[in-house]
């Protein structure tokens, strides 16, 4: 529907480019997005693809193994349709909680070393401050239940 110029983005391999510019041979890839075309394509969507105003969950972790688990949980929850945010910078728990609050997240999933050892997480409802400990395998179900309660 964008007409003859319908590409939104493009890219490829550019292995010889650095060498052509006088540098050492270097394998390379590149990609670019045309923001104006992307906006036009988004405007033509039949319904908004942005259904939530705020992230449903923020994954707070303590780094190391807890970060790896958080990344896996984020992947799983996103596949279930949740908007998930988490820390990638190695910030303190206090800084992560501030970030979750600033993003107006509904829930924070806390993953510490003790929780990891017990294969559980703590879910804090940001609105009430209520904290519940649940099995890691039940996170999606618990958040879906919380989402239904909010509607």
């Amino acid at each position: 529907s964008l007409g003859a110029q319908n590409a939104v983005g493009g890219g490829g391999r550019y292995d010889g480019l650095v060498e052509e510019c006088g540098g050492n041979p270097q394998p390379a890839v590149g990609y670019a997005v045309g923001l104006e075309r992307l906006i036009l394509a988004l405007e033509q969507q039949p319904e908004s693809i942005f259904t939530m105003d705020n992230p449903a969950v923020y994954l707070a972790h303590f780094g190391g193994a807890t970060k790896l688990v958080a990344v896996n949980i984020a992947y799983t929850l996103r596949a279930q349709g949740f908007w998930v945010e988490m820390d990638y910078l190695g910030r303190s728990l206090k800084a992560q909680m501030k970030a979750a609050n600033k993003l107006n997240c509904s829930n924070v999933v806390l993953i510490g070393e003790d929780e990891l050892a017990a294969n559980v997480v703590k879910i804090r409802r940001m609105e009430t401050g209520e904290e519940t400990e649940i099995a890691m395998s039940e996170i999606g179900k618990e958040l879906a239940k919380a989402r239904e309660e909010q509607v």
Side-chain angles (χ1 to χ4, degrees):
S1 64
L2 295 177
Q5 299 292 323
N6 64 359
V8 174
R13 294 200 57 97
Y14 300 95
D15 290 344
L17 184 59
V18 174
E19 190 175 13
E20 272 186 44
C21 294
N24 293 328
Q26 199 66 252
V29 296
Y31 183 81
V33 174
L35 289 179
E36 294 83 3
R37 290 183 184 179
L38 181 59
I39 291 168
L40 286 171
L42 287 172
E43 287 173 344
Q44 293 176 14
Q45 294 295 308
E47 59 184 63
S48 176
I49 59 172
F50 305 105
T51 58
M52 296 172 270
D53 294 330
N54 310 330
V57 62
Y58 189 97
L59 299 174
H61 59 83
F62 292 87
T66 63
K67 181 178 181 179
L68 294 175
V69 170
V71 168
N72 287 327
I73 292 171
Y75 177 81
T76 301
L77 292 175
R78 288 173 180 151
Q80 294 174 17
F82 290 99
W83 178 359
V84 180
E85 295 292 339
M86 65 177 280
D87 176 66
Y88 297 96
L89 303 173
R91 294 181 289 184
S92 69
L93 180 61
K94 183 177 179 180
Q96 291 179 66
M97 293 303 289
K98 280 184 180 181
N101 202 36
K102 186 175 180 180
L103 289 168
N104 201 20
C105 292
S106 305
N107 305 283
V108 173
V109 174
L110 300 156
I111 308 162
E113 295 293 336
D114 293 341
E115 288 80 14
L116 190 59
N119 205 29
V120 297
V121 296
K122 291 181 182 173
I123 297 180
R124 181 177 295 169
R125 309 264 185 258
M126 294 300 279
E127 191 173 301
T128 64
E130 175 189 341
E131 209 168 89
T132 309
E133 187 173 274
I134 62 163
M136 280 192 199
S137 61
E138 299 296 312
I139 297 171
K141 290 178 189 174
E142 186 69 23
L143 292 172
K145 187 172 83 174
R147 181 167 49 190
E148 288 175 13
E149 290 171 2
Q150 290 175 345
V151 173

